[in-house]
């Protein structure tokens, strides 16, 4: 697409056996190395921005980085010239940083929880259950299909779910149309207790 000279770059740094330009820069210890991207034509990180011609955020997936299988999410934008697709540019983020971020959220009660859910219904991070990262939402909630509708709709919503108050807050990325969601779960008894405390305080005042 750039110069018509792929044959001159077969297996060169950042190219594959066809000479295609596929540089992928990653951290390897204290160094930055470049590898050719893998499974390009069959991967969502390439196929979706190519077909949609817009920014996308990919649901978590396993990808080998420096020989280590890593759970990633990708933020990718298409390279377009006069509406014609020429390639992609993007950045990958290891999902574990999101797990660390929810674990650092201070909650007022041990039985509260915070979960990040992707557009397709994968658990990206869960404060109380880190082992669920990368698992489907049904592992967390029996009525997961109703929850997923709210996630995909980018809704701000509050509902009662199995004795808990469940709060949905959308996470939107740039110009993408596939929002994720924060889900905050608070036991109804805890909400009632706080409401009673606030009422008593007002009465005393």
């Amino acid at each position: 697409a750039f110069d018509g000279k792929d044959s001159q770059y077969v297996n060169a740094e950042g190219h594959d056996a066809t000479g295609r330009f596929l540089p992928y820069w990653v951290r390897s210890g204290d160094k930055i190395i470049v590898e050719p991207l893998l499974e390009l034509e069959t991967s969502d990180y390439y196929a979706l921005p190519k077909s949609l011609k817009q920014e996308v955020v990919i649901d978590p997936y396993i990808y080998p980085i420096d020989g280590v299988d890593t759970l990633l999410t990708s933020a990718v934008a298409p390279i377009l010239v006069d509406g014609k697709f020429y390639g992609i540019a993007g950045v990958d983020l290891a999902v574990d940083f999101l797990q660390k971020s929810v674990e650092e959220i201070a909650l007022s009660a041990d039985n509260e929880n915070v979960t990040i859910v992707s557009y397709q219904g994968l658990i990206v991070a869960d404060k109380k259950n880190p082992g669920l990262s990368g698992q489907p939402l049904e592992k967390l909630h029996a009525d997961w299909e109703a929850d997923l509708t709210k996630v995909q709709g980018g809704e701000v919503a509050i509902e009662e779910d199995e004795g808990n108050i469940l709060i949905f807050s959308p996470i939107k990325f740039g110009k993408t149309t596939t929002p994720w969601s924060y889900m905050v779960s608070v036991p109804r008894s805890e909400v009632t207790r706080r409401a009673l405390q606030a009422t008593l305080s007002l009465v005393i005042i």
Side-chain angles (χ1 to χ4, degrees):
F2 294 105
D3 56 17
K5 299 178 181 179
D6 284 5
S7 61
Q8 298 181 23
Y9 296 94
V10 171
N11 293 323
E13 185 177 60
H15 299 70
D16 66 5
T18 70
R20 194 172 185 175
F21 185 59
L22 307 170
Y24 184 55
W25 284 275
V26 298
R27 295 184 184 277
S28 177
D30 59 353
K31 297 180 180 179
I32 302 294
I33 63 173
V34 61
E35 306 172 335
L37 283 165
L38 302 175
E39 303 174 355
L40 196 69
E41 295 294 350
T42 59
S43 298
D44 284 347
Y45 69 78
Y46 184 82
L48 287 180
K50 180 180 181 179
S51 62
L52 298 174
K53 293 187 178 180
Q54 68 178 36
E55 300 172 16
V56 298
V57 172
I58 307 301
D59 274 37
Y61 62 99
I62 297 292
Y63 187 90
I65 295 181
D66 196 20
V68 178
D69 284 348
T70 307
L71 188 64
L72 299 175
T73 182
S74 300
V76 190
I79 299 171
L80 304 173
V81 179
D82 296 327
K84 182 179 179 181
F85 177 83
Y86 277 83
I88 61 168
V91 61
D92 289 341
L93 300 170
V95 170
D96 61 359
F97 95 92
L98 291 171
Q99 179 61 41
K100 292 175 184 175
S101 72
V102 298
E103 290 176 357
E104 292 172 356
I105 295 174
L107 301 177
S108 58
D110 291 339
N111 48 4
E112 296 179 5
N113 196 23
V114 177
T115 308
I116 298 178
V117 181
S118 74
Y119 182 78
Q120 295 295 341
L122 290 181
I123 299 169
V124 181
D126 187 277
K127 181 176 177 67
K128 296 178 67 176
N129 306 284
L132 291 179
S133 183
Q135 298 295 310
L137 184 56
E138 61 188 284
K139 297 283 187 180
L140 195 63
H141 291 147
D143 56 348
W144 62 275
E145 291 173 314
D147 295 341
L148 184 58
T149 298
K150 294 180 178 62
V151 173
Q152 294 182 339
E155 296 182 36
V156 175
I158 301 175
E159 66 175 33
E160 188 167 355
D161 178 75
E162 300 173 358
N164 297 310
I165 302 299
L166 198 57
I167 305 165
F168 295 82
S169 180
I171 305 170
K172 297 182 179 180
F173 307 91
K175 298 177 181 179
T176 67
T177 58
T178 52
W180 292 9
S181 185
Y182 273 110
M183 291 171 51
V184 180
S185 177
V186 183
R188 182 179 179 82
S189 58
E190 182 67 19
V191 175
T192 305
R193 182 184 66 80
R194 291 184 202 171
L196 179 59
Q197 285 180 333
T199 302
L200 289 174
S201 297
L202 289 171
V203 170
I204 293 170
I205 290 171

